[in-house]
Amino acid sequence: MSAKEEKKNTIIENSLKLFSKNGFYNTTIPDIAKSMKMSVGNMYNYFKSKEELAKYAIKYSTNVLAIELKEINNMDISSKEKIYVFTKRYLQSVKKSPEVIEYFLRVYLSNREVFNEGCEGFLCVSEFVTEVMILLDDGAAKKEFRQQEFFPAFAMFMGALGGFAFLSGEKVLEKDVLSYSDAVAENIYRALKYEA
Amino acid sequence: MRLNQKNKPKVLWFQAITCNGNTHSFLSSNDNRMKLFLDSFDLIYHPSLSVDISLKDIIESDVEIDFLLVEGAITSNERFFSISGETTTLLLNQLVSKSKYLIAVGSCASYGGLHAKFEQNEDIKGISDSLDVDNLYSLNHPVINLTGCPVHPEWIFQTLFTLKDYKKMHLDEEGRPKELYYGLAHHGCTRNEYFEWKVESKTFGLKEGCLFYEQGCRGPMTHSNCNKILWNEVNTKTRVGMPCIGCTELDFPRDNMLETKKNIGIPDQVPLGINKRAYLSLTGIAKTFKIDRLHKKLID
């Protein structure tokens, strides 16, 4: 990775925190520059606009998950175990770097107008969606998951995980977020599993 | 039809267990091509045509056959199928022992085809699996499989003319001539733009839309030149809104040929030579674009 790309990633990581904490419109380029101890002018050498930065940030944050899920998809374990492992890793990242998931929930899903051009549909999250497809396709081909349409299955999987990240972000959970991992995974598995 | 047209290679068409589809296809060939064939070869026997000699006469004579074309699957089970009291395995081998080149015409002759699915008789095979050991090595050339259900008449003519003039053809791992089967039915398909942008056909028989996602089209994984050497010189299945059913491949006929097998809405098989992950990724992106033109009728 070039020095410029590394710097870009650090800016993204910082802006993820600010965006997810304060929202897209309440966060300005000078805010991000300040958190980076950079000049505003120099910031524009990396991203032409706040919108461009927001689009890079969504690609960056979902790629973190895509890499995790790809690794799990390549493991020689059952599809049920894959759901359990991914749920655990997902909740670990909710705990460790909540800004990554929060950004998706609170900025990407809530400010669609920012992502209208260039991030339509699955364009900016395609790597992660592809990995979910691989997980579901593989599970159904091996008859571990029942046949159903893609979107209800996808929404079941991501809805459960996203919803739980939201509960964690709202600080309403009674116990540590990770302690719910197996129960969440079990719910996802039961919604998908093959019925003879 | 007259036997013994001097100096012309002799062609014999043998029919075993068949629906006659390849004969129909052959006899529907372009007039000029058929004339050129008949001027260049001596078709000494075809069971659907009036000829002045019987199959038995040929087998018992010392006539040499240059090109033995076989249509249909072969069985050694006489209770299941026989011709004049003889099994097709026996007749095939008797004919092969007099022949230089052996050419399977159609999927049944190549691999057993539809008939091999018949559960009551397990001994239904393609010609390669039906040859006696002696006959395996007596031919001038490895067995040529012209797969298809049916075979395009042009594929038969091209094979015969190539062998007549050049004595050999390069075959792929399924025994099919490479020059006829190197490409995919997808090549030359008029629906390729719909395939690129993942616009599905709504029903059979339309000019618009791709038939791969819903209707089981095997164009992107079927070796054939159907969309380049057109049928009756004008058409193909895919042009009239009928999916390619992969009739030139080893696994033909498959189950549920007019459906695309999917797992949770995701195609089970993806185009030949493409990594599934990469294909799904591309598909997701392509579906993002809505190109109005591709959602309208071609002719209003």
Side-chain angles (χ1 to χ4, degrees):
Chain A
M1 200 184 292
S2 71
K4 186 167 183 182
E5 279 174 54
E6 276 182 38
K7 188 78 174 175
K8 267 183 145 178
N9 283 346
T10 323
I11 295 172
I12 289 170
E13 284 161 17
N14 264 281
S15 54
L16 279 174
K17 285 180 188 157
L18 292 173
F19 281 143
S20 56
K21 192 174 154 205
N22 305 324
F24 178 76
Y25 290 107
N26 292 331
T27 306
T28 61
I29 289 279
D31 292 338
I32 299 165
K34 197 178 161 191
S35 76
M36 291 289 298
K37 296 187 173 63
M38 279 168 69
S39 72
V40 173
N42 193 17
M43 272 290 291
Y44 286 99
N45 287 329
Y46 295 93
F47 297 101
K48 277 184 239 155
S49 65
K50 198 167 82 171
E51 282 73 19
E52 187 185 286
L53 173 56
K55 286 170 198 168
Y56 268 86
I58 192 63
K59 283 185 198 167
Y60 176 90
S61 56
T62 52
N63 278 2
V64 171
L65 294 174
I67 291 163
E68 289 273 9
L69 188 51
K70 185 174 180 180
E71 194 188 313
I72 294 165
N73 276 336
N74 289 334
M75 286 179 179
D76 190 16
I77 55 175
S78 70
S79 299
K80 181 182 179 180
E81 285 172 294
K82 285 177 186 174
I83 289 176
Y84 273 70
V85 176
F86 182 68
T87 303
K88 184 159 277 170
R89 292 203 193 171
Y90 182 90
L91 294 180
Q92 272 166 351
S93 65
V94 167
K95 195 175 168 183
K96 265 193 212 159
S97 9
E99 67 279 4
V100 172
I101 313 291
E102 292 274 316
Y103 179 74
F104 181 83
L105 294 172
R106 294 176 197 276
V107 178
Y108 180 69
L109 293 184
S110 318
N111 301 285
R112 296 297 302 142
E113 66 283 2
V114 178
F115 300 93
N116 270 349
E117 259 180 60
C119 275
E120 299 94 333
F122 286 158
L123 217 49
C124 289
V125 295
S126 74
E127 286 192 43
F128 179 67
V129 174
T130 298
E131 291 308 323
V132 179
M133 283 180 164
I134 297 272
L135 175 78
L136 295 175
D137 171 64
D138 193 49
K142 290 177 181 160
K143 288 200 168 178
E144 289 184 63
F145 298 154
R146 68 189 162 89
Q147 293 293 355
Q148 56 173 307
E149 283 186 54
F150 172 70
F151 287 113
F154 179 77
M156 184 57 232
F157 187 71
M158 288 319 298
L161 293 173
F164 218 78
F166 180 80
L167 292 178
S168 174
E170 291 297 300
K171 303 195 173 19
V172 295
L173 297 176
E174 291 163 358
K175 295 184 279 180
D176 181 81
V177 63
L178 269 175
S179 68
Y180 295 97
S181 179
D182 284 357
V184 175
E186 180 68 17
N187 279 346
I188 296 171
Y189 173 65
R190 286 193 191 190
L192 300 175
K193 78 171 182 175
Y194 185 78
E195 289 152 346
Chain B
M1 196 160 292
R2 194 166 47 82
L3 182 62
N4 291 331
Q5 295 188 61
K6 277 181 188 166
N7 302 325
K8 288 183 187 171
K10 289 185 174 51
V11 177
L12 185 145
W13 184 299
F14 174 63
Q15 275 189 330
I17 311 166
T18 176
C19 70
N20 227 28
N22 291 289
T23 290
H24 276 277
S25 174
F26 177 67
L27 297 177
S28 301
S29 69
N30 169 298
D31 289 354
N32 291 330
R33 299 294 286 168
M34 181 57 93
K35 184 175 185 306
L36 181 66
F37 164 71
L38 292 172
D39 287 347
S40 310
F41 293 87
D42 183 8
L43 180 60
I44 60 171
Y45 178 84
H46 188 302
S48 297
L49 302 176
S50 299
V51 287
D52 56 6
I53 193 164
S54 74
L55 194 61
K56 193 168 177 243
D57 293 338
I58 291 171
I59 288 170
E60 287 171 357
S61 74
D62 57 2
V63 64
E64 285 188 358
I65 302 160
D66 292 285
F67 301 102
L68 174 60
L69 304 182
V70 180
E71 175 184 16
I74 306 295
T75 183
S76 62
N77 185 337
E78 63 184 20
R79 289 174 57 221
F80 183 71
F81 192 88
S82 61
I83 296 171
S84 305
E86 305 286 3
T87 69
T88 47
T89 303
L90 178 76
L91 292 170
L92 171 73
N93 277 289
Q94 287 174 332
L95 289 166
V96 170
S97 66
K98 306 164 90 56
S99 304
K100 291 179 184 161
Y101 294 89
L102 175 56
I103 301 166
V105 179
S107 297
C108 296
S110 298
Y111 314 128
L114 178 72
H115 310 290
K117 300 239 158 180
F118 189 69
E119 290 170 3
Q120 284 75 12
N121 181 6
E122 288 179 357
D123 177 53
I124 303 181
K125 298 169 182 172
I127 54 177
S128 294
D129 294 328
S130 305
L131 295 182
D132 293 342
V133 178
D134 291 347
N135 279 335
L136 271 176
Y137 304 105
S138 68
L139 292 160
N140 285 7
H141 193 279
V143 175
I144 295 164
N145 290 327
L146 296 181
T147 58
C149 187
V151 166
H152 195 301
E154 192 58 28
W155 305 347
I156 302 174
F157 293 145
Q158 284 196 20
T159 300
L160 289 172
F161 279 101
T162 304
L163 291 174
K164 176 174 170 282
D165 293 341
Y166 300 101
K167 315 293 180 213
K168 67 173 181 182
M169 287 186 104
H170 294 293
L171 306 179
D172 68 14
E173 59 272 24
E174 313 293 354
R176 301 171 295 195
K178 283 184 182 172
E179 64 192 78
L180 295 170
Y181 293 88
Y182 70 88
L184 301 174
H186 191 53
H187 298 161
C189 179
T190 49
R191 295 168 188 269
N192 279 355
E193 201 179 12
Y194 295 104
F195 176 84
E196 281 168 37
W197 301 108
K198 314 301 165 195
V199 178
E200 295 165 29
S201 189
K202 304 287 179 253
T203 179
F204 296 103
L206 297 179
K207 288 186 191 301
E208 301 84 4
C210 179
L211 307 159
F212 176 67
Y213 310 101
E214 298 294 337
Q215 287 150 297
C217 186
R218 305 285 291 178
M221 50 270 267
T222 298
H223 293 88
S224 124
N225 58 20
C226 286
N227 275 309
K228 289 190 285 191
I229 296 183
L230 301 174
W231 292 77
N232 295 328
E233 301 183 345
V234 290
N235 227 334
T236 63
K237 280 194 176 75
T238 58
R239 288 190 186 197
V240 292
M242 158 78 187
C244 166
I245 51 174
C247 72
T248 54
E249 294 298 328
L250 192 61
D251 63 354
F252 177 83
R254 293 167 300 108
D255 293 336
N256 304 320
M257 287 192 287
L258 301 181
E259 286 173 25
T260 302
K261 186 177 178 337
K262 289 181 187 164
N263 299 309
I264 312 197
I266 299 154
D268 187 55
Q269 282 185 287
V270 298
L272 211 61
I274 297 171
N275 171 289
K276 191 166 200 170
R277 182 172 271 116
Y279 178 76
L280 293 178
S281 198
L282 276 175
T283 304
I285 292 169
K287 276 187 178 168
T288 303
F289 300 98
K290 283 275 173 289
I291 302 169
D292 286 344
R293 182 170 54 82
L294 298 180
H295 291 270
K296 289 179 183 161
K297 295 287 282 181
L298 285 168
I299 303 170
D300 280 325

